[in-house]
């Protein structure tokens, strides 16, 4: 049955069911490539690609994406500038009554398969064993929107960070992991509505149990984008408009912390 639009938007379906676990899949028997690109997807190309999952099958879509990779586009840009915007555009097609539910759902399935294949075929080989930086990414407990969490985790991992992403964690589970293992950065995505007091209490609890002195806590997501001032209100260390900006901010903060700097005078995204 097709869910009523008033009961649940397709954007929620994208983040809760269609894509959430795609970056957690692994396979050892697929051919691996070490193509290293440095270019970014052109916005015009991204716009043309956005609706293709409605018309092409998964193999055809993957061929298009492979074309970008062979032209020197980085895998990070494939995720951030091509595939993620396409997922959002498909949701807009549904919201604006431009496609029926079945067409958009099939398009999202094809996009999911492409994303999975890209992750498997082009694994990151960046690793700095002497200066490993660690990060844990998680939705706010009770928030079922995991797409942003998984996407930012992949970007950090491809830049040499040792990362982990949680999906639908309980508060107790999240805090237990933070208490048991060292993480330089904790990233929380906040897509559902919650009170500032709830978020501030969680951040305070994270700092109190963390094994990493001076752990950096970032927040992002729909709620934060709508009110960036919430960062200071809840006691977080920063936010950023996208995964790339979050990576830059995290690397600067962690580098300063390891160098012994006390004050972090950095603009928030």
């Amino acid at each position: 049955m097709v869910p009523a639009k008033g009961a649940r938007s397709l954007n929620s379906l994208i983040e809760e069911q269609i894509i959430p676990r795609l970056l957690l899949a692994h396979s050892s028997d697929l051919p691996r490539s070490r193509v290293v690109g440095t270019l970014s997807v052109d916005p015009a190309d991204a716009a043309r690609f956005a609706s293709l999952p409605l018309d092409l099958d998964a193999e055809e879509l993957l061929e298009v994406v492979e074309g970008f990779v062979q032209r020197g586009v980085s895998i990070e840009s494939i995720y951030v500038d091509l595939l993620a915007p396409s997922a959002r555009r498909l949701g807009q097609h549904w919201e604006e009554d431009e496609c029926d539910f079945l067409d958009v759902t099939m398009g999202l399935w094809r996009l999911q398969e492409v994303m999975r294949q890209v992750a498997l075929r082009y694994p990151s080989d960046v690793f700095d064993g002497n200066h490993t930086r660690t990060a844990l990414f998680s939705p706010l407990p009770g928030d079922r929107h995991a797409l942003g969490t998984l996407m930012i985790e992949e970007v950090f991992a491809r830049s040499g960070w040792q990362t982990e992403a949680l999906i639908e964690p309980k508060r107790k589970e999240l805090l237990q992991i933070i208490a048991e293992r060292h993480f330089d950065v904790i990233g929380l995505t906040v897509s559902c509505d919650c009170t500032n007091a709830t978020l501030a209490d969680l951040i305070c609890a994270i700092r109190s149990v963390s094994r990493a002195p001076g752990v950096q806590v970032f927040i992002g997501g729909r709620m934060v984008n709508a009110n960036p001032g919430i960062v200071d209100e809840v006691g977080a260390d920063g936010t950023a408009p996208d995964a790339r900006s979050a990576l830059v901010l995290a690397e600067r903060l962690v580098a300063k912390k390891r160098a012994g700097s006390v004050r972090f005078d950095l603009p928030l995204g």
Side-chain angles (χ1 to χ4, degrees):
M1 293 181 63
V2 177
K5 290 188 180 181
R8 185 183 197 184
S9 73
L10 187 61
N11 284 330
S12 294
L13 183 62
I14 294 170
E15 297 184 7
E16 292 176 18
Q17 295 185 12
I18 301 296
I19 300 178
R21 301 180 188 275
L22 61 97
L23 294 179
L24 301 182
H26 295 282
S27 174
S28 60
D29 54 359
L30 285 176
R32 301 297 182 98
S33 173
R34 294 299 176 187
V35 174
V36 179
T38 59
L39 303 179
S40 296
V41 176
D42 184 271
D45 288 334
R48 285 189 289 269
F49 179 89
S51 298
L52 288 182
L54 294 174
D55 302 316
L56 303 182
D57 63 28
E59 290 186 4
E60 292 171 323
L61 283 174
L62 185 58
E63 289 180 5
V64 175
V65 172
E66 292 273 12
F68 284 105
V69 175
Q70 297 305 320
R71 295 204 304 268
V73 172
S74 70
I75 301 302
E76 174 190 296
S77 184
I78 294 294
Y79 279 107
V80 176
D81 300 323
L82 190 71
L83 303 182
S86 179
R88 289 192 292 268
R89 182 66 186 119
L90 295 183
Q92 291 172 359
H93 279 306
W94 165 253
E95 301 270 343
E96 296 169 5
D97 288 323
E98 295 174 348
C99 293
D100 64 31
F101 181 81
L102 180 59
D103 286 340
V104 176
T105 300
M106 288 302 298
L108 290 168
W109 179 87
R110 294 165 187 149
L111 188 59
Q112 172 185 340
E113 180 62 17
V114 170
M115 295 177 77
R116 188 180 73 87
Q117 291 294 329
V118 170
L120 296 175
R121 296 186 181 199
Y122 301 101
S124 172
D125 57 1
V126 177
F127 179 71
D128 184 349
N130 295 321
H131 299 89
T132 302
R133 299 151 299 176
T134 55
L136 175 69
F137 299 99
S138 172
L140 188 72
D143 189 342
R144 301 183 64 188
H145 297 166
L147 173 59
T149 298
L150 293 175
M151 191 67 71
I152 193 171
E153 188 267 343
E154 178 73 6
V155 170
F156 272 65
R158 288 184 175 276
S159 295
W161 286 63
Q162 182 177 328
T163 63
E164 183 171 341
L166 302 179
I167 295 177
E168 298 184 33
K170 302 293 185 183
R171 176 186 166 104
K172 181 179 179 180
E173 174 192 0
L174 173 62
L175 293 177
Q176 182 176 349
I177 291 173
I178 293 171
E180 293 176 349
R181 293 154 57 191
H182 181 285
F183 294 103
D184 296 303
V185 168
I186 307 295
L188 299 174
T189 54
V190 190
S191 297
C192 63
D193 293 327
C194 72
T195 65
N196 285 11
T198 298
L199 187 52
D201 180 69
L202 177 60
I203 292 173
C204 182
I206 287 172
R207 296 193 193 284
S208 68
V209 303
S210 174
R211 293 190 61 183
V215 62
Q216 301 298 298
V217 182
F218 294 168
I219 58 175
R222 180 182 60 80
M223 180 176 169
V224 183
N225 293 338
N227 177 25
I230 195 176
V231 173
D232 292 329
E233 296 169 9
V234 301
D237 293 297
T239 188
D242 54 47
R244 273 198 210 89
S245 300
L247 176 63
V248 171
L249 179 59
E251 291 183 338
R252 293 170 66 187
L253 286 173
V254 171
K256 283 196 172 186
K257 183 183 74 172
R258 292 186 175 185
S261 177
V262 176
R263 181 178 176 81
F264 303 123
D265 293 319
L266 295 174
L268 300 181

